[in-house]
Amino acid sequence: MSDESENKSSKNGNYMINKKRTVTMILLAFWIGSTLSGCTVSKDVGGDQSAEESVVESEASADSVDDRQVVIDEENDSRSSDDADVDTQDFTADSADKDTDMSVDDQADTDGGEDRSEKADSQGDSTKSGSLYEKFLRNEIVATVTIESSQENEYYVPLLEKGSFYTFEQLGQRISEYFFDPEYSDKTSYDQVQYAYVNSADGAGAQKLLIKFVGLNIYAPDDDSYAVVVVSENDGKVYLTAEYECWARSEMTIYGNGIFSEYGSGGAGDLYGGISALLSDGTIDSVYGTEELYEWWTSYICYTYDVDQASDSDIYQEVFGTDTSPDALIVTVYTIGNDKYYQYDIGECAEEQKVLCETYLDRCHDELGINWSLDEEVETAIQGRCAGLGISYEETMQQPELAWHIL
């Protein structure tokens, strides 16, 4: 009995082996035929599946459920192995193509996306949420200084040196370091930070960010002096493009149209003012400057022309002497671009002084070459200056309020 069982089992085993061999041969023949007929890799997989399904269906009617399951399992294993080989080859080929076409930056994205993101932020990448100005205020990016120093004094130390760069926090530290000397002051930092967004006066480019550091004690303790730094965006990066300081004897007010009015004092008889404009490149340029001179300060115009001569002020003293002062004489000097324009006003002078004032003014013209200009000449020169800067002359006379916000 046991011999019969063993023989029967052996026959069944041989039968299954022969069946699997037959199936394998059929699949192999079909695959070779498909390959020779020019089928693609994806079609080969579909052809294998159709052949296998046909064989399984033809044998399912002759075999038991258990035998059919064994054949299907074996064939599925074989098919999965073939499919895996095809998928691996395809993936390898695709990867090779991608590596060949990918730029260095793209590979950096794939290999180290997080590092690249941090690098982009340090350069002011504008593709992420929030404006570049907001990122700067959050200390997420740095701003590079492009300010040209106008001082030729070798001992002068600029607040912001060209080529240096700061985060917002570092900028605040620099402000405190520059304006507060612990040797002379117990105060070590500014009181408050304000900010505002403003359009440029020439109407081009993005808005500028203004950052005001208040409470710097420039002239005296608690004098409400402050410094303003202009932050500008260009090509996806931010720059510190201008700065100015205001204190008790020097005021500079910016309006919502990017126009500045200026006022200051060089003494009781020496007042200066003017109009400037914030331009689209983030710089501040003068439209015109004025200096009003009163009484003996009017002698300054002599020094303007010939500072090397020791007798510069002799004209004034020769005319008025040392005991006489032209109380109501006013001389205004306009600086427009590289040119100067001079005007005078003797309307309030006493009659006995008018003759002296006229003599003084005539000698300044004859001996120093000072030309006295009419209002129309000055206005025409200012209009020409505005045209050269690309701003509206009428806009320079408008003063819309600029909204500042506490940070």
Side-chain angles (χ1 to χ4, degrees):
M1 191 67 179
S2 62
D3 292 338
E4 288 182 12
S5 298
E6 290 177 0
N7 290 334
K8 186 176 180 180
S9 174
S10 177
K11 290 178 180 180
N12 290 337
N14 291 334
Y15 171 73
M16 291 299 299
I17 291 172
N18 290 334
K19 284 172 62 179
K20 286 189 284 184
R21 287 176 178 174
T22 301
V23 170
T24 302
M25 292 300 292
I26 292 172
L27 292 173
L28 181 60
F30 184 82
W31 182 82
I32 292 172
S34 299
T35 303
L36 293 176
S37 64
C39 295
T40 63
V41 173
S42 62
K43 288 182 179 179
D44 288 343
V45 175
D48 290 347
Q49 292 174 346
S50 299
E52 291 167 353
E53 289 170 359
S54 298
V55 173
V56 172
E57 289 175 359
S58 65
E59 294 193 345
S61 58
D63 299 325
S64 64
V65 175
D66 292 338
D67 290 342
R68 183 173 68 240
Q69 186 63 45
V70 171
V71 174
I72 293 174
D73 290 342
E74 290 292 334
E75 291 171 355
N76 284 341
D77 290 342
S78 175
R79 184 178 64 188
S80 298
S81 178
D82 291 342
D83 291 350
D85 290 341
V86 173
D87 290 342
T88 301
Q89 293 172 1
D90 288 347
F91 178 79
T92 303
D94 290 343
S95 298
D97 291 341
K98 289 178 181 177
D99 289 341
T100 301
D101 297 336
M102 191 180 297
S103 67
V104 174
D105 289 343
D106 290 337
Q107 290 182 15
D109 282 337
T110 303
D111 298 336
E114 185 173 346
D115 293 341
R116 177 170 171 76
S117 175
E118 293 175 357
K119 180 180 179 182
D121 271 359
S122 69
Q123 296 174 343
D125 184 9
S126 62
T127 60
K128 294 192 173 183
S129 61
S131 72
L132 288 177
Y133 296 142
E134 291 170 344
K135 288 186 175 186
F136 178 71
L137 292 175
R138 293 197 299 263
N139 293 300
E140 295 177 7
I141 58 176
V142 299
T144 304
V145 179
T146 61
I147 303 171
E148 297 281 357
S149 176
S150 60
Q151 296 284 344
E152 297 181 357
N153 188 333
E154 60 179 322
Y155 300 105
Y156 172 74
V157 178
L159 170 60
L160 301 172
E161 187 172 353
K162 183 179 180 180
S164 58
F165 51 87
Y166 300 88
T167 63
F168 170 66
E169 182 178 359
Q170 291 168 341
L171 177 61
Q173 292 171 351
R174 174 57 182 162
I175 294 290
S176 297
E177 174 189 87
Y178 188 84
F179 288 101
F180 299 104
D181 187 342
E183 184 176 350
Y184 302 102
S185 173
D186 293 333
K187 191 172 183 179
T188 59
S189 183
Y190 49 86
D191 297 330
Q192 187 184 83
V193 177
Q194 300 175 12
Y195 71 96
Y197 293 101
V198 64
N199 294 317
S200 58
D202 54 5
Q207 282 190 320
K208 311 305 176 189
L209 169 64
L210 307 180
I211 305 178
K212 180 191 292 186
F213 297 88
V214 182
L216 301 182
N217 293 4
I218 295 176
Y219 184 71
D222 302 321
D223 63 353
D224 293 328
S225 56
Y226 59 87
V228 176
V229 178
V230 180
V231 186
S232 303
E233 175 187 347
N234 185 30
D235 292 334
K237 298 179 177 62
V238 290
Y239 301 89
L240 307 182
T241 53
E243 65 89 10
Y244 60 93
E245 301 151 22
C246 298
W247 45 291
R249 300 181 70 175
S250 177
E251 180 65 32
M252 193 168 180
T253 302
I254 184 170
Y255 302 100
N257 55 1
I259 296 296
F260 293 86
S261 65
E262 303 170 49
Y263 171 81
S265 172
D270 184 5
L271 306 179
Y272 60 86
I275 296 293
S276 293
L278 177 63
L279 302 180
S280 56
D281 62 357
T283 60
I284 300 172
D285 211 336
S286 172
V287 178
Y288 67 87
T290 63
E291 185 175 19
E292 292 185 357
L293 303 170
Y294 299 83
E295 301 179 5
W296 70 264
W297 276 272
T298 57
S299 64
Y300 284 5
I301 60 175
C302 301
Y303 293 97
T304 302
Y305 268 80
D306 201 348
V307 296
D308 293 331
Q309 292 187 13
S311 60
D312 283 338
S313 61
D314 285 353
I315 297 177
Y316 180 87
Q317 291 186 3
E318 289 173 3
V319 173
F320 295 106
T322 57
D323 298 327
T324 304
S325 177
D327 296 336
L329 174 61
I330 303 173
V331 172
T332 303
V333 183
Y334 286 85
T335 302
I336 306 172
N338 295 322
D339 299 321
K340 291 187 181 296
Y341 297 80
Y342 295 82
Q343 292 186 316
Y344 65 84
D345 183 359
I346 59 174
E348 299 299 323
C349 290
E351 289 300 322
E352 63 272 13
Q353 286 193 349
K354 279 188 178 180
V355 175
L356 294 176
C357 289
E358 289 174 347
T359 301
Y360 173 64
L361 297 173
D362 289 341
R363 289 189 62 179
C364 286
H365 174 270
D366 297 339
E367 299 176 30
L368 298 178
I370 294 178
N371 293 314
W372 301 106
S373 301
L374 301 175
D375 290 343
E376 293 77 8
E377 295 177 85
V378 173
E379 184 177 19
T380 299
I382 294 175
Q383 290 173 340
R385 176 63 173 166
C386 288
L389 294 174
I391 65 176
S392 166
Y393 171 69
E394 291 73 19
E395 196 71 24
T396 63
M397 294 178 279
Q398 304 300 317
Q399 297 182 343
E401 185 177 358
L402 178 65
W404 289 90
H405 310 279
I406 297 175
L407 188 63

